[in-house]
Amino acid sequence: MRPASIVTFDRLYLVATGLGLVNSFMSIERLQARIEAMPQFRAIGLGSGVIYASIAAGAAISLLLWFAVAYKRSALAKWILVAFTALAILNLPSALRQLGSGGLGVLVSVAVEALRIVALTFLFRADAKAWFAGSDLGTDADA
């Protein structure tokens, strides 16, 4: 059984990932316009399909790392998630500028990163540390 901290991470991280996907699809028209405005992409035949492929690849990587952390006890995946989240936070001002001023997209982007940070903090609690180390003592959550 997984400890409460891992279960909480699990839920918060999946909510953040889901919100991130919703935000990506809310911004799809803006992303398509940017791709179409780039002649270098048109020259090599890349169109809006690259946007969908990027969203799918990002979701797949995110879910693979989540599974490795939440079910396989991978400390490496935990630190990769921490690194990716740190990079996302560093990139957040640029991403928000691209989304434009205000609006729901900006709010959702900030909420996604806030949820990820909160989710990741649960990976550093005592019960989670023990679980990553291979101990099942003190685990009482089973979600």
Side-chain angles (χ1 to χ4, degrees), residues 29-82:
E29 290 177 11
R30 186 176 300 115
L31 293 169
Q32 286 175 333
R34 292 189 73 208
I35 291 289
E36 291 168 6
M38 296 178 175
Q40 63 271 30
F41 280 172
R42 284 192 314 239
I44 58 174
L46 292 178
S48 62
V50 75
I51 297 169
Y52 293 106
S54 296
I55 292 170
I61 291 168
S62 184
L63 292 174
L64 179 66
L65 289 169
W66 157 77
F67 182 78
V69 168
Y71 289 93
K72 297 298 181 183
R73 301 181 190 203
S74 173
L76 175 62
K78 173 178 84 169
W79 287 108
I80 291 171
L81 281 178
V82 169

Side-chain angles (χ1 to χ4, degrees), residues 90-132:
L90 291 173
N91 187 52
L92 191 58
S94 173
L96 293 178
R97 278 193 301 277
Q98 290 176 7
L99 285 173
S101 60
L104 187 58
V106 171
L107 180 64
V108 173
S109 293
V110 171
V112 165
E113 296 312 323
L115 275 170
R116 283 190 182 144
I117 290 168
V118 172
L120 288 174
T121 63
F122 283 91
L123 298 180
F124 294 93
R125 291 181 143 197
D127 61 339
K129 287 180 183 180
W131 186 75
F132 278 113

